[in-house]
Amino acid sequence: MRGTGGAVAAGTAGATGAGVGAGAGAGAGGGGVNLLALRSHNAALVLDLLRTAGDEGISRLELAERTGLTPQAVSKITARLREDGLVAEAGRRASTGGKPRTVLRLVPEAGHAVGVHLDRDEVRVVLVDLRGTVVGERRAALDLGAGAEAVLGAVGETVAGVLPGGFAGGSGLRPGLEGDVRPRAAGSDADSRPESTGLGGVSLPGSAGLDDGSRPGVARFDDGSRPGAVGFDGGSLPGPTGLGGVSLPGPAGLDPSLLGVGVALPGPLDHVRGVLHRVTGFPGWDGFPLREALAGRLGVPVVVDKDTNAAALGLAAGGEGGSFAYLHLGTGLGAGLVIGGSVHRGARTGAGEFGHQVIQLDGPPCTCGDRGCVEALCLAAVARGDLDEAARVLGAGAANLVGLLDIDVVLLGGRTVAAAPEAFVGGVGAVLEARARRTGEDAVPVRVTPGGDGAVAVGAAQLVLRPVFGRRDA
């Protein structure tokens, strides 16, 4: 079914949860379709197909067939995407009749997102391109209990350090925050910064004077809007402020193709508002508006989520299908849940507090205030070097999760698992196999996540990228 001007009025191209149904955007009084949202949605569908087509590319005719858009609408959208440098020609392909078709491909380096894993003792930052490929990485020591100013300063400087150019007039890294800098994308101007960062509607904020979508590397649609903020709620955020006495450039100064920053850290927290609750072990963060504070410093949109949710999202974006649980064992223990292909956060975005299920009544105290939690027992076993016991405890918690949710696979990650993957896969797997023998069911498989202990940071970047391609499961 087509809407006005050929706009698609039903979800297509497999954009999970992004379908625009008949009458989408209508107000309570039955008003007309929100054309701005539809146009942005249609361009996101086109971008997603270009992304999944890879280097081989896809023709305009194929784009029209697979999205349900008219050829004219596809031509208009792709013309804008080419104008903004997001799409390029990838050659010609023979057709069944007539002249060869021009094939288009996504230009991965035309846009970037930053993913931040804010852990209890370090910050890890990755820079990814539009395909989600890591093109830069930096790590720095951090104390999550050092207070908001110190933590935000460390995050801001490490983010700047992974971007081409870093801070204006400096390396972007204070003494004492040595990082492991890896190859990253080249080219940036560090002389300007935006005056404000609005987050209204479906457009990404740009520098002052660039709100017409003319910022290099950021796509305009047929109405002049830009992709990327579908998953962000409205409201304006303050412009960048000084960071430790150093003025931090905004997106035009750090990297004109920067779409935003995703931040993942231990919960509990409010994903929708970007506000922290009583972070386990660090209750002083309760009520802190992390998203607003970081967006004000960095001058770009910021999305905040739990570390385990971000990792689960990244795994799903990377091709992990079905329903699964990602169990993260590092400085703490938590779970990210993907049910039916979408991250399950719960009614108050508090799902996945896996580590704080009590499995031993009157057991040892946990940092959450309870006793006998899986996290407390598991971390205690790790601390005394008993990895077999740690894996057995983790397996007991995983078995409860399997029985409750009937998931397809259990994925393990985090620095502790990465240090001894065989011990944890074997130990957790043994508990699940014993459960399967009791129930007569097939044992749920256990695997270690690919990419070592970097799943959280990479997944945090997907909090920004997924909405760009119409994927509303972010």
Side-chain angles (χ1 to χ4, degrees):
M1 173 178 174
R2 303 184 191 278
T4 305
V8 66
T12 60
T16 305
V20 180
V33 170
N34 184 333
L35 292 181
L36 175 64
L38 275 179
R39 288 166 178 165
S40 298
H41 169 75
N42 293 334
L45 293 180
V46 170
L47 276 172
D48 195 41
L49 287 172
L50 287 161
R51 177 184 63 86
T52 55
D55 291 331
E56 293 184 3
I58 187 171
S59 70
R60 292 179 181 84
L61 180 59
E62 290 172 298
L63 288 170
E65 291 172 346
R66 295 182 63 180
T67 60
L69 295 166
T70 64
Q72 294 84 356
V74 168
S75 293
K76 195 172 185 180
I77 291 171
T78 55
R80 287 295 181 97
L81 295 177
R82 288 188 64 193
E83 178 185 344
D84 289 312
L86 282 169
V87 173
E89 290 188 1
R92 295 181 178 275
R93 182 181 300 163
S95 63
T96 55
K99 64 180 182 180
R101 299 173 184 172
T102 299
V103 177
L104 303 175
R105 66 171 181 87
L106 183 70
V107 179
E109 62 272 19
H112 295 89
V114 166
V116 177
H117 180 190
L118 182 56
D119 209 344
R120 293 170 174 86
D121 59 0
E122 75 168 9
V123 57
R124 181 172 188 157
V125 176
V126 298
L127 180 69
V128 305
D129 64 20
L130 289 176
R131 287 184 182 162
T133 303
V134 176
V135 296
E137 182 170 354
R138 196 176 186 91
R139 301 172 79 160
L142 175 142
D143 176 7
L144 194 58
E149 187 62 29
V151 170
L152 295 181
V155 171
E157 291 181 357
T158 313
V159 167
V162 82
L163 295 172
F167 284 111
S171 67
L173 200 63
R174 291 183 193 168
L177 288 177
E178 293 84 10
D180 174 21
V181 185
R182 305 189 184 179
R184 48 187 188 263
S188 134
D189 164 17
D191 295 328
S192 60
R193 71 183 184 202
E195 293 181 6
S196 63
T197 52
L199 278 178
V202 294
S203 62
L204 271 176
S207 302
L210 292 181
D211 288 338
D212 62 348
S214 59
R215 186 156 54 117
V218 179
R220 291 180 299 174
F221 297 138
D222 44 348
D223 57 359
S225 67
R226 296 191 292 270
V230 181
F232 309 147
D233 56 16
S236 60
L237 293 171
T241 59
L243 184 59
V246 180
S247 185
L248 177 63
L254 288 174
D255 184 343
S257 69
L258 184 59
L259 298 173
V261 174
V263 181
L265 71 160
L269 53 81
D270 185 333
H271 164 67
V272 174
R273 296 190 302 131
V275 175
L276 306 186
H277 294 322
R278 295 176 64 86
V279 175
T280 305
F282 300 90
W285 284 99
D286 190 22
F288 186 80
L290 181 61
R291 183 184 68 187
E292 181 179 355
L294 274 178
R297 287 175 179 264
L298 301 176
V300 294
V302 171
V303 191
V304 174
D305 206 348
K306 290 202 303 186
D307 46 11
T308 50
N309 287 343
L313 177 68
L315 291 167
E320 189 67 48
S323 298
F324 64 87
Y326 166 75
L327 306 184
H328 183 92
L329 179 59
T331 59
L333 174 61
L337 307 174
V338 171
I339 308 297
S342 296
V343 176
H344 177 72
R345 294 186 176 89
R348 291 169 293 279
T349 71
E353 290 298 317
F354 168 84
H356 301 293
Q357 54 175 311
V358 175
I359 62 172
Q360 182 181 334
L361 295 177
D362 301 321
C366 180
T367 53
C368 72
D370 213 330
R371 304 183 70 90
C373 294
V374 176
E375 178 178 297
L377 296 168
C378 195
L379 292 181
V382 171
R384 62 177 181 264
D386 191 349
L387 295 187
D388 289 341
E389 175 64 10
R392 189 177 72 87
V393 172
L394 184 58
N400 290 341
L401 203 56
V402 168
L404 184 65
L405 298 177
D406 193 23
I407 52 180
D408 299 315
V409 63
V410 172
L411 302 174
L412 306 179
R415 69 176 74 165
T416 304
V417 171
E422 297 85 1
F424 283 98
V425 170
V428 173
V431 176
L432 295 185
E433 287 169 5
R435 178 187 181 278
R437 288 193 296 269
R438 293 193 304 271
T439 62
E441 302 168 348
D442 292 334
V444 172
V446 181
R447 302 198 308 268
V448 173
T449 57
D453 61 348
V456 174
V458 173
Q462 287 293 336
L463 291 168
V464 175
L465 282 187
R466 296 284 278 179
V468 173
F469 299 102
R471 302 285 178 163
R472 297 299 297 273
D473 53 353

